Amino acid sequence: MNILVTGAAGFIGSNYVFYMLDKHPEYNIVGMDSLTYAGNLETLEPALNNPRFDFAKIDITDKLAVEKIFEEKNFDIVVNFAAESHVDRSIEDPGVFLRTNILGTQVLMDASLKYGVKRFHQVGTDEVYGDLPLDRPDLLFVETMPLVASSPYSASKASADLLVLAYNRTFDLPVTISRCSNNYGPYQFPEKLIPLMIANATADKPLPVYGEGLNVRDWLYVEDHCRAIDMIIHDGKDGEVYNIGGHNEKANIDVVKIILKQLGKPESLITYVTDRKGHDQRYAIDPTKIHEELGWLPTTMFEDGIKMTIQWYLDNESWWKNIISGEYQQYYERMYGNR
Ligand code: NAD
Ligand code: TYD
């Protein structure tokens, strides 16, 4: 089996490459990534020594380069993680989100059609459902809900989902889509909530909590996400959408306090800053479909996963300190300087 994993040098893509190489000793994997600010080839170092893994530095919107590698490698399955993924950056500059997340997906699907790919899997997000009210804990996202995006990021991901389903219906491209809740774990870029708070707390810097910190996210350990996608690409039904989430809802402020407690740092580091524009209130996944159809259940509870994650960041300081020493400084100043 030949598998293409796009966005392989990012957070979830790299974890997925490691998971798949380990789980399927007979599969060959190509990791494709254009190495944007969020992609880091150093992350893939353990895989680069594996003869069953190849890395290709290709932008998914580059039709010629994409077609060339599809022609060479004869992919059976494509798993598309490549995306611009940070909501705050999409509010600053939406254009690149539309280019990569929508047009890049189209380029990959055209190549998949042309070269006879047997399954195109689109890695989607629960943010395409918009948000849920804080005072209705009974409401959860189900696959049949309409798409109502709040940010340029989620609008671009919703557009990509619609395009994927259209390629299935119009051109018979075999597809599946997964829509997962917020991930956390090793190798997450320190602009996202959990690694940013770990990095700041470690350095005794203020922890910027948006608004009152009451927004709720539904957290899933990254390896549980990788396992779910593995199940979907093998046993998921053509043309279907699968929600992935583990009933782990937490208010942001509670996540921040757990991190501080675990690191032995004072809550006085918490600083409330101006809220994000259009800030989604609550995400919460109903994972009944993937559980009942494919037997997936999460295995890592938040209490354990957050400890493992914090320990990973403590043990791998050089990985994220390298990152926050570069362009990240300007980003941080732009995003948080006058907030
Ligand atoms: P990430 O930002 O860490 O990684 C994205 C990767 O894509 C980076 O390595 C980047 O270099 C690469 N990339 C960006 N533009 C590219 C292009 N034009 N061509 C080739 N490569 C390009 O993101 P992530 O958190 O790992 O998310 C991966 C996927 O999972 C995304 O599609 C995202 O929408 C989805 N998702 C993420 C979460 C989450 O909590 N992080 C939850 C649900 C779904
Ligand atoms: P984030 O990790 O950006 O994921 P998403 O917006 O895709 O869910 O943010 C998670 C939550 O944390 C979100 O409600 C915004 C909030 N947040 C902060 O309060 N402070 C921060 O510095 C960041 C990055 C996020």
Side-chain angles (χ1 to χ4, degrees), residues 7 9-13 32-36 38-39 58-61 80-85 99-100 123-125 153 157 180-183 188 192 225:
F11 164 44
I12 312 176
M32 181 192 287
D33 202 297
S34 62
L35 302 178
T36 68
I58 292 176
D59 186 319
I60 60 164
T61 65
N80 182 27
F81 290 94
E84 288 292 334
S85 67
R99 194 177 70 86
T100 289
V123 180
T125 166
Y153 162 67
K157 293 293 290 184
C180 191
S181 59
N182 286 60
N183 283 215
Q188 187 167 29
K192 303 282 168 59
H225 186 185

Side-chain angles (χ1 to χ4, degrees), residues 174 197 201 223 332 334:
M197 297 301 167
E223 197 179 73
Y332 200 89
R334 273 200 325 274

Side-chain angles (χ1 to χ4, degrees), residues 25 59 65 68 81 94 102 118 120 125 132 176 196-197 240 252 294-295 300 324 327 338:
D59 186 319
K68 187 162 176 278
F81 290 94
I102 307 172
K118 297 182 194 78
F120 181 89
T125 166
L132 297 164
T176 38
L196 185 141
M197 297 301 167
E240 291 291 319
N252 293 338
L294 305 181
T300 301
I324 62 175
E327 184 266 352
N338 282 321

Side-chain angles (χ1 to χ4, degrees), residues 136-153:
R136 289 290 308 273
D138 54 311
L139 294 180
L140 301 171
F141 292 140
V142 289
E143 290 84 352
T144 48
M145 277 181 172
L147 306 189
V148 195
S150 313
S151 70
Y153 162 67

Side-chain angles (χ1 to χ4, degrees), residues 59-78:
D59 186 319
I60 60 164
T61 65
D62 182 345
K63 186 174 158 66
L64 284 180
V66 166
E67 287 202 350
K68 187 162 176 278
I69 196 162
F70 271 68
E71 190 172 9
E72 275 166 27
K73 297 284 185 178
N74 207 10
F75 296 123
D76 299 290
I77 297 177
V78 174

Side-chain angles (χ1 to χ4, degrees), residues 88-89 92 210 330-337 339:
D88 291 324
R89 288 189 191 246
E92 264 197 321
Y210 299 166
Q330 288 132 43
Y331 164 79
Y332 200 89
E333 193 46 39
R334 273 200 325 274
M335 198 56 74
Y336 297 96
R339 201 155 179 157

Side-chain angles (χ1 to χ4, degrees), residues 16-35:
Y16 186 71
V17 166
F18 301 144
Y19 180 87
M20 292 298 281
L21 286 172
D22 189 46
K23 174 89 191 294
H24 300 287
E26 69 286 15
Y27 288 8
N28 298 308
I29 297 179
V30 172
M32 181 192 287
D33 202 297
S34 62
L35 302 178

